[in-house]
Amino acid sequence: MYRNGRVMQAKTCASALALAVLPMWIGACLAQESAVDPALREKIESQGRKIDAMRSRMAEQLAELEQMKRELASQEVQYNDLRKAIGLNALEDARGGSLAVADPDAQAPLPQDRSGGLPPSTPLVATSPQTVATQPVGKRPEEDERPPEVAPIFDQPGVLTPRGKLIIEPSYQYGYSSSDRVALVGYTVIPAILIGLVDVRQVKTTTQTGALAFRYGLTNRMELEIRVPYVDTHTDTISREIFTGMAQDNLFTTSGKGIGDVEATLRYQINDGGADKPYYIGWFRAKSRTGRDPFDVTSDCVTRCVQNVTGTGLPLQSPTGSGFYSAQLGLTWLYPSDPVVFFGNVSYLHNFERKNVSRNVLLAGKQFLGDVKAGDIADISVGMGLSLNEKASISIGYDQAFVARTERNGHPLPGSARATLGSLLIGGSYRYNAKETLNVTLGVGVTRDTPDTTITVRLPVTL
């Protein structure tokens, strides 16, 4: 008992001692804390506030980044759907892959909700480079060295046929021309009185030509074309002859149809060309005389040509060919300057002379004419083409040809004169698909010797 009392007494003393020392320890701590520099304490607190603000801003930016990733994935899905809808992925599929396979950083399509966005619970998982196929996805296409494609408004196409490809081009051309002619045969007593024959004529000609052209690519820079035309022509001549007892108009009609002059053309691309660099294409054309010869048809020329009194002096049947073998050499150039393509053409056509030519005259048999040579033709044309989109394009140009005089027996034929043919050409092209393209050209004559209107429709089909 005594011992327990001493223990309790010792504990009481220890408690009293601790209570006595506690105020002293608290005072020492407060004194140590009061010894810290207030400026340093303010700096530490300011740095802490900045760190907290940066953490809050980083959290906000991370949230915005996640939202932008979701919107980007949604836009990529819509973009791919649109490409598939208009067929832009056909080339990529043919090369054995798509943009998603070729790009290691591409992301897999993410599921969408009904509003077009991503569900909030959808995780964003980027496709790692290890998941992309490492095998080749196709062969890199060869660099295209062919000229740019434009709506063709001249006879020379702007794009050569690729090697080993065959293009079949059916075409239809409608042409209409009209001209007035006044012939005065006689002499004048005074400037106001004419004694003789006055012949007033109106000639209206309608020509329809259907043709089938075959173009084959011998190499990537050379092609061969063969064109077979079928011609249907109709001519109405309205004539009034004064001082012959005729006071009314007479209508004389001729027509003819059949195979025209078959021709073959060889084209060669001279240089590589490129962006802001011209392309040059040289070509050579040979024309036969498979059509009906103008010298073979029968002419109503008995009285007119012999007595100069009456008669029409016109062929009873319209020819379908020129009647001369011809060779034409030309150069076509194209200059691409985005977004337009400028193009032009220069050529020279030579008609070969025919020996011992005769013509058929009604009721008179053969009439010997001798050696006849049709006039040569120099031609120049310029234009520009504009692509409206990936399928449609338009072109506008001007073509002018200079025709020399016709010669007989080495001398100019009396009554023949040089002629200038000028046409304003407007064309359009629409590509239905990779194999079919529709080309339409309108030609308007700007000189008297040129047909008033010419409409040409082409539909090249690649096999």
Side-chain angles (χ1 to χ4, degrees):
M1 184 175 181
Y2 174 76
R3 186 176 181 177
N4 292 337
R6 294 187 64 179
V7 172
M8 294 178 62
Q9 185 178 3
K11 289 181 179 182
T12 303
C13 293
S15 300
L17 180 61
L19 292 174
V21 174
L22 181 60
M24 299 175 62
W25 181 77
I26 293 174
C29 291
L30 292 176
Q32 184 177 2
E33 183 178 0
S34 61
V36 178
D37 188 2
L40 179 60
R41 181 184 302 171
E42 179 65 23
K43 185 176 181 180
I44 294 174
E45 293 177 354
S46 176
Q47 189 71 21
R49 289 192 296 270
K50 290 182 179 179
I51 293 175
D52 293 338
M54 293 177 64
R55 287 176 178 173
S56 300
R57 184 177 179 183
M58 183 181 297
E60 294 176 356
Q61 291 182 350
L62 289 175
E64 293 178 358
L65 181 61
E66 296 296 332
Q67 180 63 26
M68 292 175 64
K69 288 182 178 180
R70 295 187 180 92
E71 294 178 356
L72 177 61
S74 176
Q75 293 293 333
E76 287 180 348
V77 172
Q78 297 177 8
Y79 173 72
N80 292 330
D81 292 340
L82 290 175
R83 286 175 61 89
K84 292 179 180 179
I86 62 177
L88 291 182
N89 288 338
L91 179 60
E92 297 171 0
D93 295 339
R95 292 175 180 173
S98 62
L99 290 177
V101 177
D103 187 2
D105 296 331
Q107 293 184 351
L110 300 177
Q112 296 183 342
D113 58 11
R114 294 182 179 178
S115 61
L118 294 175
S121 60
T122 302
L124 293 176
V125 181
T127 303
S128 62
Q130 289 77 11
T131 61
V132 181
T134 58
Q135 61 182 0
V137 296
K139 180 181 178 181
R140 182 179 179 180
E142 298 180 358
E143 184 178 357
D144 191 3
E145 299 178 350
R146 295 188 301 148
E149 185 171 1
V150 294
I153 56 178
F154 307 131
D155 291 337
Q156 293 73 31
V159 178
L160 298 182
T161 306
R163 179 181 180 181
K165 294 290 185 178
L166 175 64
I167 296 180
I168 299 178
E169 182 183 273
S171 64
Y172 170 79
Q173 184 180 74
Y174 173 86
Y176 174 80
S177 62
S178 62
S179 62
D180 298 334
R181 190 185 76 173
V182 178
L184 306 177
V185 181
Y187 60 94
T188 57
V189 178
I190 58 176
I193 299 178
L194 171 69
I195 299 177
L197 175 66
V198 179
D199 184 8
V200 181
R201 291 185 182 181
Q202 294 180 355
V203 181
K204 303 178 184 296
T205 303
T206 302
T207 303
Q208 300 181 80
T209 304
L212 192 61
F214 302 89
R215 293 201 298 269
Y216 182 77
L218 302 177
T219 66
N220 286 334
R221 291 195 174 191
M222 181 180 294
E223 73 173 14
L224 176 65
E225 178 184 9
I226 297 177
R227 182 174 180 269
V228 181
Y230 184 86
V231 181
D232 184 357
T233 179
H234 184 90
T235 302
D236 292 329
T237 303
I238 302 174
S239 176
R240 173 178 292 188
E241 299 171 353
I242 306 177
F243 302 127
T244 61
M246 300 294 295
Q248 62 181 4
D249 293 336
N250 293 326
L251 176 63
F252 184 80
T253 300
T254 60
S255 62
K257 61 180 62 177
I259 296 295
D261 293 337
V262 178
E263 57 188 37
T265 305
L266 184 67
R267 300 184 181 92
Y268 178 75
Q269 180 181 333
I270 300 175
N271 66 330
D272 292 338
D276 293 329
K277 295 181 180 179
Y279 293 85
Y280 296 103
I281 300 174
W283 53 274
F284 175 79
R285 174 177 298 159
K287 187 185 71 65
S288 66
R289 53 184 186 96
T290 54
R292 184 181 297 113
D293 201 313
F295 304 103
D296 291 338
V297 299
T298 302
S299 300
D300 178 18
C301 200
V302 176
T303 55
R304 171 60 57 86
C305 297
V306 177
Q307 301 177 10
N308 278 330
V309 179
T310 60
T312 62
L314 300 174
L316 300 177
Q317 193 176 21
S318 298
T320 60
S322 66
F324 295 89
Y325 287 105
S326 303
Q328 188 176 15
L329 186 65
L331 177 67
T332 300
W333 58 270
L334 299 97
Y335 186 83
S337 179
D338 191 40
V340 300
V341 177
F342 298 97
F343 54 88
N345 180 77
V346 291
S347 65
Y348 186 84
L349 183 144
H350 175 73
N351 290 306
F352 293 95
E353 184 180 30
R354 290 189 60 179
K355 302 291 185 178
N356 302 321
V357 177
S358 300
R359 66 171 178 172
N360 297 322
V361 180
L362 182 64
L363 301 178
K366 292 285 187 178
Q367 182 181 3
F368 182 74
L369 299 178
D371 300 337
V372 179
K373 180 185 178 301
D376 294 346
I377 302 175
D379 183 271
I380 183 171
S381 57
V382 293
M384 60 174 290
L386 174 63
S387 178
L388 303 180
N389 52 42
E390 66 276 3
K391 290 189 175 183
S393 62
I394 59 174
S395 298
I396 183 172
Y398 178 77
D399 178 77
Q400 183 157 309
F402 304 91
V403 184
R405 299 181 62 180
T406 301
E407 298 180 355
R408 186 175 69 177
N409 298 325
H411 301 283
L413 184 67
S416 68
R418 296 181 180 89
T420 300
L421 310 178
S423 299
L424 177 65
L425 302 173
I426 302 174
S429 176
Y430 184 81
R431 181 173 61 87
Y432 290 107
N433 48 56
K435 295 184 178 181
E436 298 178 356
T437 303
L438 177 64
N439 301 313
V440 180
T441 303
L442 170 64
V444 180
V446 297
T447 61
R448 290 183 177 273
D449 299 320
T450 311
D452 299 335
T453 304
T454 302
I455 300 176
T456 305
V457 180
R458 301 186 182 97
L459 184 62
V461 179
T462 304
L463 300 180

